[in-house]
Amino acid sequence: MSPLSSSLLNPRLSFSLKPLFLFSQSSFAPRKFQIPRQFVSAKRKTFSALASEQSSATDNGGRSGGGGRSGALSPSPVVEEVQRIDVNPPKGTRDFPPEDMRLRTWLFNHFREVSRLFGFEEVDYPVLESEVLFIRKAGEEIRDQLYCFEDRGNRRVALRPELTPSLARLVIQKGKSLSLPLKWFAIGQCWRYERMTRGRRREHYQWNMDILGLPEVTAEAELISSIVAFFKRIGITESDVGFKVSSRKVLQEVLRCYSVPENLFGKVCIIIDKIEKIPIDEIKRELNATGLSEEAIEELLQVLSIKSLTKLEEILGGAGEAVAELKELFSLAEKFGYSEWIQFDASVVRGLAYYTGIVFEGFDRQGKLRAICGGGRYDRLLSTFGGDDVPACGFGFGDAVIVELLKEKGLLPKLNLEVDNIVCALDYDLQGVAAEVATKLREKGQSVDLVLESKPLKWVFKRAARTNAQRLVLVGNTEWQKGMVGVKILSSGEQYEIKLDELE
């Protein structure tokens, strides 16, 4: 019996023969050999496992269950198990397919344009930083949200949860070479392992603007003005969004009246920052645990409930720094033209320990969303990293909440794919000419979608509609023999022929 005949009688043997095509003696036409289903495994099987299966399938007389000889000549090939991966991004993160990327680019362009209009320079920092950069004072929520680990060099590192500490590090690194005041902005990805809600993810992009070297309140006034300018550019008005403004010096003055030690100030601020997130009784318990007396807690909560700068002045007097700086900010707001956007709210303290003076938050007036942005003065941040302190203030503005607000207000822009030209060769031999046409147009600054394969005109027109192309440039034999190409303006239907050198 020939090997070919044996393979037909013994499927186990035929499985190991290659190629898997048999040829008829009469026609030599290829005929695909069907592998019996019982020999195809979805899981990886070793030779020993196959041998065991074969042995168990054979009776005492040495015959297999099917009546043929047991196939002991060669093992079946190992079949790798193919597992389908989870196609979703890790929880709390996002993909940016083209339609979402267009929105992100649109948003970032507005961030950059506003920063340019205010005379700021763009900077960036590593996404991966030393962990110590973000570990400041116990109790900060952000400390418990770090994505941190030890790298292969046994260094403790973290994915940045915010941008300001990286800014401080770079300023210390540059030292005396920097000319103050600095006006820097950055747009960077940040990571926090936190509970997800609407507008809150575990990764987000953040727009930061910072002014360093300027102790005057004019710096805070300028920063709030830049955010207002951004809101106006995207269609958000003062009836949609406002700013709550206060100063950490308000708390300092209240705590000083009750001889509360300075080292407790940061802890108290972190607790107060939760005032809209947890019940007031829990706030009182946490404040009491820091060592504050019942009387001090009641006085503090009474001050924090004040929504009027005039009322605050009645309680604290007008001689303190807190009231004086706040009054100056509200005066500057009138001159900048955004006084209707801001309001005093003593409960705003911000959750990060490094703030030292005026603080502010942008909020949705309907109360459906979390804080849109926030910032303030941080004059003593650099010294926590071993540098010389420089007066500084800045803000962070995330990309997630503002998109939710735009959805809520029906203000999301329609950002379709748009190209200037579609260039198509009507004959395969003219593909090189079509590439030449596309190159010339691109050199003139025009976008070109070049059809890279032979396609019928019906397909090309559908492609043009999907990409919102302005015109179609066709390279055909008849036209090209005259050194010309065909052009169709898709909006009007106008058609004409033109020399390539004259195509604009």
Side-chain angles (χ1 to χ4, degrees):
M1 183 182 295
S2 70
L4 188 60
S5 302
S6 299
S7 70
L8 288 171
L9 292 175
N10 192 333
R12 290 184 185 270
L13 180 59
S14 67
F15 184 76
S16 63
L17 291 175
K18 295 181 179 180
L20 297 177
F21 291 91
L22 300 178
F23 297 89
S24 166
Q25 291 182 351
S26 59
S27 63
F28 292 96
R31 179 164 60 88
K32 192 170 183 179
F33 185 76
Q34 185 68 39
I35 302 174
R37 291 177 61 87
Q38 64 266 33
F39 296 105
V40 179
S41 172
K43 296 182 178 179
R44 180 184 177 93
K45 294 184 179 181
T46 62
F47 174 60
S48 59
L50 287 169
S52 176
E53 287 182 12
Q54 177 180 306
S55 176
S56 64
T58 306
D59 61 17
N60 292 333
R63 299 279 179 173
S64 67
R69 286 189 177 273
S70 61
L73 293 178
S74 64
S76 297
V78 172
V79 179
E80 294 284 351
E81 180 180 6
V82 178
Q83 286 188 334
R84 181 179 175 85
I85 66 166
D86 183 356
V87 296
N88 295 308
K91 188 174 181 180
T93 67
R94 298 166 289 176
D95 291 314
F96 288 90
E99 60 275 13
D100 293 336
M101 196 65 196
R102 286 195 288 272
L103 178 61
R104 192 179 100 180
T105 301
W106 171 86
L107 187 65
F108 288 10
N109 285 344
H110 281 296
F111 288 159
R112 287 193 168 92
E113 180 60 12
V114 169
S115 301
R116 184 193 69 81
L117 291 172
F118 280 73
F120 282 64
E121 295 182 282
E122 186 166 11
V123 293
D124 199 6
Y125 326 98
V127 174
L128 188 69
E129 288 275 19
S130 297
E131 182 186 42
V132 69
L133 200 61
F134 306 107
I135 299 176
R136 289 178 294 270
K137 297 183 180 179
E140 276 192 313
E141 186 181 39
I142 200 171
R143 185 172 183 170
D144 299 324
Q145 297 171 349
L146 283 179
Y147 279 89
C148 51
F149 57 95
E150 190 173 278
D151 69 9
R152 292 176 184 267
N154 301 317
R155 293 172 291 260
R156 293 295 304 176
V157 293
L159 295 177
R160 63 186 181 198
E162 55 161 330
L163 302 178
T164 308
S166 296
L167 165 72
R169 177 186 56 73
L170 182 56
V171 170
I172 295 171
Q173 177 200 124
K174 293 295 182 182
K176 302 290 186 182
S177 66
L178 294 174
S179 177
L180 300 178
L182 296 178
K183 296 174 76 175
W184 284 359
F185 83 95
I187 302 170
Q189 191 178 37
C190 300
W191 295 80
R192 295 186 187 186
Y193 193 88
E194 59 182 340
R195 185 176 64 86
M196 293 180 296
T197 58
R198 185 182 180 191
R200 182 192 293 248
R201 299 183 176 90
R202 289 176 177 167
E203 61 81 21
H204 70 281
Y205 284 86
Q206 187 165 297
W207 171 39
N208 274 33
M209 290 179 71
D210 295 89
I211 300 175
L212 285 85
L214 195 65
E216 289 82 5
V217 179
T218 49
E220 287 93 328
E222 173 91 335
L223 290 173
I224 296 174
S225 180
S226 68
I227 305 174
V228 170
F230 168 78
F231 282 139
K232 288 180 177 179
R233 287 177 66 92
I234 63 173
I236 298 294
T237 69
E238 67 272 17
S239 62
D240 302 316
V241 166
F243 292 89
K244 296 177 182 178
V245 180
S246 187
S247 173
R248 283 205 169 177
K249 293 178 181 179
V250 171
L251 290 184
Q252 283 180 316
E253 291 186 22
V254 173
L255 295 178
R256 197 177 295 122
C257 293
Y258 290 91
S259 303
V260 176
E262 186 71 22
N263 65 326
L264 291 181
F265 179 67
K267 291 182 180 179
V268 171
C269 287
I270 291 165
I271 296 169
I272 296 302
D273 188 54
K274 305 174 188 176
I275 207 160
E276 293 183 355
K277 304 171 187 176
I278 62 177
I280 195 66
D281 288 341
E282 183 63 27
I283 295 288
K284 290 179 179 180
R285 277 195 293 271
E286 290 192 23
L287 288 172
N288 187 257
T290 66
L292 264 68
S293 66
E294 294 290 340
E295 184 183 2
I297 291 172
E298 291 302 324
E299 177 71 17
L300 181 60
L301 293 177
Q302 181 183 349
V303 171
L304 292 174
S305 67
I306 295 173
K307 310 296 182 185
S308 163
L309 193 53
T310 304
K311 181 67 173 176
L312 180 70
E313 188 173 5
E314 290 175 4
I315 294 176
L316 299 182
E321 284 186 1
V323 172
E325 289 175 354
L326 287 166
K327 287 175 71 175
E328 184 180 357
L329 177 62
F330 277 81
S331 176
L332 286 167
E334 291 185 10
K335 295 178 174 64
F336 274 100
Y338 60 81
S339 57
E340 67 275 15
W341 291 74
I342 68 171
Q343 63 192 58
F344 176 74
D345 187 332
S347 67
V348 175
V349 296
R350 304 293 295 160
L352 297 172
Y354 54 68
Y355 287 118
T356 57
I358 287 176
V359 287
F360 55 87
E361 284 184 357
F363 69 99
D364 161 33
R365 290 195 187 275
Q366 290 189 349
K368 295 182 179 180
L369 301 169
R370 57 175 297 204
I372 302 167
C373 59
R377 180 160 289 276
Y378 52 93
D379 287 346
R380 294 193 291 273
L381 177 60
L382 270 63
S383 63
T384 64
F385 302 132
D388 296 327
D389 279 326
V390 173
C393 60
F395 70 78
F397 192 122
D399 69 324
V401 179
I402 187 61
V403 170
E404 293 297 324
L405 181 64
L406 290 171
K407 288 178 184 176
E408 193 75 33
K409 304 297 180 182
L411 292 172
L412 277 180
K414 293 182 179 179
L415 302 168
N416 298 316
L417 172 63
E418 293 182 358
V419 297
D420 297 323
N421 308 274
I422 283 193
V423 175
C424 177
L426 298 179
D427 189 286
Y428 182 79
D429 294 337
L430 293 173
Q431 287 280 13
V433 178
E436 181 184 348
V437 173
T439 298
K440 287 185 177 296
L441 288 172
R442 287 165 179 160
E443 288 174 348
K444 294 176 181 179
Q446 295 191 35
S447 58
V448 178
D449 182 6
L450 175 62
V451 179
L452 299 171
E453 54 188 326
S454 297
K455 286 290 186 180
L457 273 178
K458 183 178 180 181
W459 182 93
V460 176
F461 278 105
K462 285 183 178 179
R463 174 79 177 179
R466 191 182 74 80
T467 60
N468 297 288
Q470 295 181 21
R471 66 180 178 180
L472 176 61
V473 180
L474 297 173
V475 183
N477 268 314
T478 304
E479 294 81 9
W480 188 244
Q481 286 174 6
K482 299 181 289 184
M484 306 181 83
V485 294
V487 174
K488 180 166 184 175
I489 307 300
L490 296 171
S491 59
S492 65
E494 177 189 358
Q495 300 182 79
Y496 57 89
E497 294 179 2
I498 189 172
K499 291 183 178 181
L500 179 56
D501 292 339
E502 298 175 1
L503 185 63
E504 297 290 339

